[in-house]
Amino acid sequence: MSLPLSERIAVLGAGPMGLAVAYQLAKDGHKPVVFEADDRVGGMTAAFDFGGLSIERYYHFHCTSDTAFLQMLDELGLTEKMHWVETKMGYFYGGRLQAWGNPMALLRFEGLGWVAKFRYGLHAFLSTKRKDWRSLDKVEATGWIKRWVGAEAYEVLWRKLFDLKFYDYAHGLSAAWIWSRVRRIGRSRYDLFREKLGYLDGGSETLLQGMRSAIEALGGEFRLSSPVSRVVLNGGKVQGVESRGEFHPYAKVVSTVPLPLVSRIMPDLPADITSRFQALRNIAVVCVIVKLRRPVTENFWLNTNDPEMDIPGIVEYTNLRPLENSVVYVPFYLPGEHPKYQEPDEIFLAKVRRYLKRVNPALTDEDFIELRASRYRYAQPICDPGYLEKLPPVGLPVQGLWVADTSYYYPEDRGISESIGFGRKMARMAAQPVSEL
């Protein structure tokens, strides 16, 4: 028996946010249908076959403060698959690998004077203690950091991170957004000297398949390899969606696709709303994943400031989640319009071989088992000062239409937990009867 049109809800996108929308709708008695362009669920958290190893295309980790994520694991009966590990950070600076991430490492760091170390440490400490972000909302980030840490510490510890992740956007970011990134990692520490991060048995795929199974068990549906080409609007109301040349009637649509795509698939939105979506900018990523016969370092996270490397750092995933071989992620963040983003994968793979050997000169060509590059055009929103007020409302001025992506939990950085929490909120918005909208 088919549902009446007024009860039909389409969810666009099967990343963590879209899955959370569908899960909450299904849990509350609705029958969502999830449309996903990819052939699998997960979005940026989706896994792929890496030479016999199922692993995420892009790295993910979990902090003890990830409340929405941990609650979802509990509801799905997956809590026992969660593991917490003491991890280490490092910094490759001055041609050498140095410890990083705790007060003792800061004191021993070669490359900073004592005043610069004190100012940097004070700023990091106060950032983890700050709770209210609104006073930083309209403050530009690099100027804010320079005022706190000084020119020396900024040049050594921050400038390359900004320049090699945001390029031309580096000096137009919100201080609130940068602060939230510092605070999240700081809150993952379980004492002054030790950091604790988490991983799931089987990686993010364990969560994704758990959510998918729960949604389907509650009557939800998935249509994979089914990109939505148009959300059909008429008379200020949602009529349905077009996918793979067919029209599907729906009274409600919840979109979690990247915001830059919204004006393309919703060309009939009011002009002022369309212009706000079109004004948003995103950074792309080319993420190289490497499988090696031996570790590169003992660090999970390694920041880099080296004139021979055009990367802000590397993530040695197996120093968090144990696997048979060492697995390392090396992200190249670039504006999508930058010429380097158009370069072939082989250019990035060759760079990564060279960079990892520079960090660990003991590595040889025989240590590299496999390398693979993945690309994502809308990896990171550019959150400039006052970003949140520039976004259109989640509930658009069209009956039955809600739109958001990871941008909407600003100033928090994109993450699985934040996506789950926000997705569940969107589901509750969409669950209202049409007559009340």
Side-chain angles (χ1 to χ4, degrees), residues 7 14 106 136 169 176 199 242 258 288 298 376:
E7 297 299 320
L106 177 61
L136 298 176
Y169 302 110
Y199 72 92
E242 293 179 358
V288 176
E298 62 179 1
Y376 196 78

Side-chain angles (χ1 to χ4, degrees), residues 166-274:
F166 300 106
Y167 286 73
D168 294 343
Y169 302 110
H171 298 283
L173 302 172
S174 163
W177 187 49
I178 297 299
W179 158 80
S180 75
R181 301 162 71 88
V182 176
R183 180 171 178 261
R184 184 189 180 210
I185 295 297
R187 290 176 66 190
S188 69
R189 312 195 73 80
Y190 61 99
D191 66 30
L192 197 58
F193 294 93
R194 294 182 293 177
E195 175 181 82
K196 183 166 64 174
L197 299 176
Y199 72 92
L200 274 172
D201 286 335
S204 298
E205 188 72 2
T206 298
L207 171 69
L208 299 174
Q209 295 307 322
M211 294 179 74
R212 178 179 181 177
S213 295
I215 292 164
E216 291 176 329
L218 292 167
E221 299 177 32
F222 285 85
R223 299 187 181 177
L224 303 180
S225 301
S226 300
V228 167
S229 56
R230 188 184 187 103
V231 177
V232 180
L233 313 176
N234 188 34
K237 299 180 181 179
V238 166
Q239 304 297 311
V241 301
E242 293 179 358
S243 176
R244 301 177 66 178
E246 296 183 10
F247 173 74
H248 306 270
Y250 290 96
K252 299 178 180 180
V253 171
V254 182
S255 173
T256 66
V257 302
L259 296 188
L261 300 178
V262 170
S263 59
R264 189 183 309 172
I265 65 173
M266 303 180 194
D268 301 320
L269 286 173
D272 61 322
I273 297 294
T274 296

Side-chain angles (χ1 to χ4, degrees), residues 58-79:
Y58 308 95
Y59 61 89
H60 293 86
F61 61 92
H62 307 286
C63 297
T64 56
S65 57
D66 290 350
T67 305
F69 165 75
L70 296 173
Q71 180 181 340
M72 180 62 72
L73 292 185
D74 184 58
E75 292 181 22
L76 297 175
L78 297 174
T79 301

Side-chain angles (χ1 to χ4, degrees), residues 322-336:
L323 295 169
E324 181 179 354
N325 298 112
S326 182
V327 172
V328 179
Y329 290 88
V330 184
F332 295 80
Y333 289 97
L334 301 155

Side-chain angles (χ1 to χ4, degrees), residues 82-99:
M82 189 71 205
H83 303 280
W84 298 99
V85 177
E86 181 179 343
T87 55
K88 296 181 179 180
M89 291 182 64
Y91 219 117
F92 189 78
Y93 176 74
R96 63 187 296 268
L97 183 63
Q98 303 191 56

